[in-house]
Amino acid sequence: MMITHDTRCALEAVVDLLNTAPEGGATSAPDALSDVPSLHEFVARNAFSDVGTLTERDLASVRSVRARFAQVFAADDDRSAAELLNSLVAAAGTTPRLTDHDGYDWHVHYFAPGASVADHLAADGGMALAFLVVAGERERLRRCEAPDCRHAFVDLSRNRSRRYCDSRTCGNRLHVAAYRARRREAAS
């Protein structure tokens, strides 16, 4: 599956946004988008272009978009995901346009010039997710299988075999635990 640079960036931003939510809805885990400065960090980390002054209203809107993306990841089937994405992208008032900024070759932005950060996310992220649905690749939208982690990720591996958000942390931790359990069992 070929994914362009801008689509990959939009998917990464969606995943990053989802992973700012409290883990698995747990009330003990902090919300990483708790205030406007944390929203500034999110915007900078994802190198969003054409974002004006961020406010509490932007924060609330971005959190709303985050909840809608979570519904797409949890959708039971392609039709449900498509309905959610159609609604999300339509509400963002998409205005596809070609652009070549910041040293990148021509690519498409789906948000209107001067759009809010929430509309930027909804339009570009929604279209990136829509491309996966159209390609029959929605199963690539996953949650980490580590029992103590529910981070979102998009499995872009060739054989769709990725199970953990990060193989160096979650995957390695589980493999080490399984190894130690086998060693204990063999020693008894």
Side-chain angles (χ1 to χ4, degrees), residues 94-128:
T94 58
T95 306
R97 63 189 169 96
L98 284 168
T99 183
D100 66 340
H101 63 87
D102 298 329
Y104 294 108
D105 206 358
W106 289 105
H107 59 282
V108 179
H109 280 191
Y110 294 94
F111 57 94
S116 71
V117 68
D119 285 346
H120 178 138
L121 274 162
D124 273 5
M127 289 304 299

Side-chain angles (χ1 to χ4, degrees), residues 32-33 35-48 51-56 58-59 117:
L33 276 183
D35 53 21
V36 175
S38 62
L39 180 58
H40 275 283
E41 290 173 19
F42 171 80
V43 166
R45 189 170 58 243
N46 287 283
F48 287 155
V51 174
T53 303
L54 298 173
T55 65
E56 289 290 333
D58 290 309
L59 178 63
V117 68

Side-chain angles (χ1 to χ4, degrees), residues 78-93:
D78 288 349
R79 183 164 304 284
S80 299
E83 289 171 4
L84 290 164
L85 288 168
N86 284 338
S87 172
L88 184 68
V89 170

